[in-house]
Amino acid sequence: RSKSWPEARRLEERMCRNLLKVLIFLAGFSLVASPSQAQSFDIVKMADGVYAAIGREGVASNGAFIVNQDDVVVVDTHYRPSWARDLIAEIRKVTNKPVRYVVNTHWHNDHTQGNQAYVSVFGPNVEYLAQHLTREDMAGKAIPSVQDALTKGVPANIARLEKILNDGKDSQGNPLPDEARQRTERQLASQKSYLEELKALQITLPTITFERSLFLHHADRDIHIYYFGKGHTRGDVVVYLPKEKVVVTGDLLTNGIPFMRDAYPSQWIGTLEAIQKLDWTQASPGHGGVQQGKEQIGKLMAYMKDMVAAVKDAIAKGLSLEDAKKSIDLSKHTSSFPNFQQGSPAAIERTWMELTGKIPD
């Protein structure tokens, strides 16, 4: 039956309203969904112009960026240049200002191998800042480790993962469940893509180094970079923003017991004490989420003091390293660190090596 003109007009209006609702819904969905695509980081605003870049699963290490009146300062550059480019994309969502400075808090590859991305994107005026010992270790350790990863480590990982998939069994010889197979396939794809990046990867060394401190004076803020002594490595620095009361710590502070391979545990305590004395309310650590207040650094200091004292006592008693590991009881700190079971024995061993003179001073 044909509709009258008023009825037809009302029907047309309802259709238009419904179509508009659908378009609004789809636009909203797009705005919500798109930021999660191909992101490597959760970007956390800590203060005006100050952002932590918290590595997502698989990326792990964190960074930070500071948007100033005329430029951007980046802290740490992650394990892969592709992840550094992901962070550059996040920075460009916030500002179109160029990155002028990159700070490397220490030499480890998961904080430096993305350096080359910044000079590639922003040109030769990018300056790389680090403590002078970090530059020495990047040249003497990071560069050789890239070659080792390219020729040995990553190809061996690829071969191991391919064997697991071809055999359909895990490393213990058990049948591979679907979930484990899918996880192994993802790991294999990741290792293959990393191998391709390694072929073109060049360690970009710091262009400006310092001994104890370096200050960047901007119209809108001062950025302090401090070296307080040995800790996670021999050249760790922290980036401190006094106006915003924010500190970016690298791996001197994490969400657990930090990695100890290159550490100086007995000296690390003094470095932590110096960081704690700064006037800050938020910390962006090298791994884990943004920390509010000083509770976590307090927990790490308490653990480190007890652990170093216990190792000194074991050495004084003439105990071997293995006997010391068995006898030292630090279980009261278990709840403070998610990686206590793995991290504490490594910390005890490294401290033993330091205090018995088995690592360079």
Side-chain angles (χ1 to χ4, degrees), residues 325-343:
K325 283 183 179 181
K326 293 174 183 176
S327 65
I328 291 174
D329 182 9
L330 297 167
S331 58
K332 70 178 183 179
H333 298 284
T334 304
S335 61
S336 297
F337 308 105
N339 65 334
F340 179 85
Q341 298 300 331
Q342 299 78 29

Side-chain angles (χ1 to χ4, degrees), residues 26 33 57 73 136 194 224 253 304 314 341:
L26 290 175
E57 184 178 0
V73 175
E136 288 182 11
Y194 180 45
H224 298 185
L253 180 63
M304 294 285 282
Q341 298 300 331

Side-chain angles (χ1 to χ4, degrees), residues 46 238-241 245-249 275 278 280 282-285:
M46 302 179 71
V238 297
V239 177
Y240 173 55
L241 307 178
K245 296 188 177 183
V246 167
V247 66
V248 185
T249 68
I275 296 170
L278 296 174
W280 53 272
Q282 295 183 89
S284 176

Side-chain angles (χ1 to χ4, degrees), residues 19 29 69-70 185 238 293 300 330:
L19 178 59
F29 179 80
Q69 190 175 68
D70 300 313
E185 288 172 346
V238 297
L300 181 59
L330 297 167

Side-chain angles (χ1 to χ4, degrees), residues 263-313:
Y264 298 81
S266 70
Q267 299 176 64
W268 196 335
I269 295 169
T271 298
L272 290 173
E273 289 174 338
I275 296 170
Q276 188 185 47
K277 288 177 183 177
L278 296 174
D279 183 16
W280 53 272
T281 58
Q282 295 183 89
S284 176
H287 301 266
V290 169
Q291 298 175 12
Q292 303 296 328
K294 298 181 178 181
E295 181 181 2
Q296 188 63 25
I297 195 172
K299 290 178 179 179
L300 181 59
M301 287 171 59
Y303 167 78
M304 294 285 282
K305 288 177 180 179
D306 286 350
M307 186 269 296
V308 170
V311 173
K312 285 182 178 178
D313 184 61

